Amino acid sequence: MNLEGRKIIVNKSSKDLSELLKSPENYKDFMPDGLQKFETKDNGFKFGLQGMPEIALKIDEVDEQKAVLKSASSSLDFTLTATLNPISETQTEVQMLFEGKFNPFIKMMVEKPLQNFINTLTDKIEAYK
């Protein structure tokens, strides 16, 4: 299952964005309203949203072109990637991409909430100062 967020322009360089996305603590700023739990670990974080199970992510790879988060749970196989495309020294185009391997039943249950989550992450990153 593949989901895409809309492409946005962020008023930060890709270097500044990649530095921001290397730190697990910074992801709390991008979480949707209704965040009930947020815990950081050395290379990742765990969060809980109202009405959803807790999700644990590890920061797999971050550079000036992308930030890749992977599921920290062996029962869920997915990645969430933010592509970083420099437009100028002070602007970067960002797009969230989700790729997961789910059975059809799970896919049916999680597709809409995940798309909403990606849309909210996109909105929060776009509004980030």
Side-chain angles (χ1 to χ4, degrees):
M1 174 173 82
N2 296 323
L3 300 171
E4 293 183 0
R6 63 187 172 87
K7 291 181 180 180
I8 58 169
I9 306 296
V10 178
N11 291 320
K12 287 193 178 305
S13 70
S14 61
K15 182 177 188 223
D16 289 347
L17 270 176
S18 65
E19 286 302 313
L20 180 77
L21 297 173
K22 284 180 184 174
S23 176
E25 298 84 24
N26 293 333
Y27 286 86
K28 186 174 186 177
D29 295 334
F30 305 130
M31 290 291 120
D33 298 334
L35 183 68
Q36 295 187 321
K37 179 178 187 175
F38 190 90
E39 292 176 6
T40 59
K41 299 192 186 317
D42 45 347
N43 68 336
F45 57 93
K46 182 193 292 188
F47 67 95
L49 298 172
Q50 197 168 353
M52 286 181 63
E54 286 183 8
I55 297 172
L57 296 169
K58 62 182 178 186
I59 299 172
D60 187 57
E61 177 185 359
V62 178
D63 59 34
E64 291 185 29
Q65 284 80 44
K66 66 183 173 300
V68 181
L69 304 176
K70 289 193 172 185
S71 170
S73 166
S74 58
S75 62
L76 292 174
D77 183 10
F78 68 87
T79 58
L80 181 62
T81 303
T83 61
L84 309 177
N85 183 18
I87 294 173
S88 70
E89 289 186 18
T90 59
Q91 288 190 318
T92 305
E93 180 186 75
V94 178
Q95 184 177 27
M96 302 298 297
L97 306 171
F98 177 90
E99 185 178 332
K101 295 182 177 103
F102 301 124
N103 69 44
F105 179 72
I106 298 291
K107 179 185 177 203
M108 186 178 71
M109 287 180 23
V110 300
E111 190 167 19
K112 187 172 183 185
L114 276 173
Q115 186 66 60
N116 290 339
F117 177 68
I118 290 167
N119 293 343
T120 301
L121 281 178
T122 301
D123 293 345
K124 295 267 186 164
I125 292 169
E126 187 175 38
Y128 191 78
K129 301 287 182 226

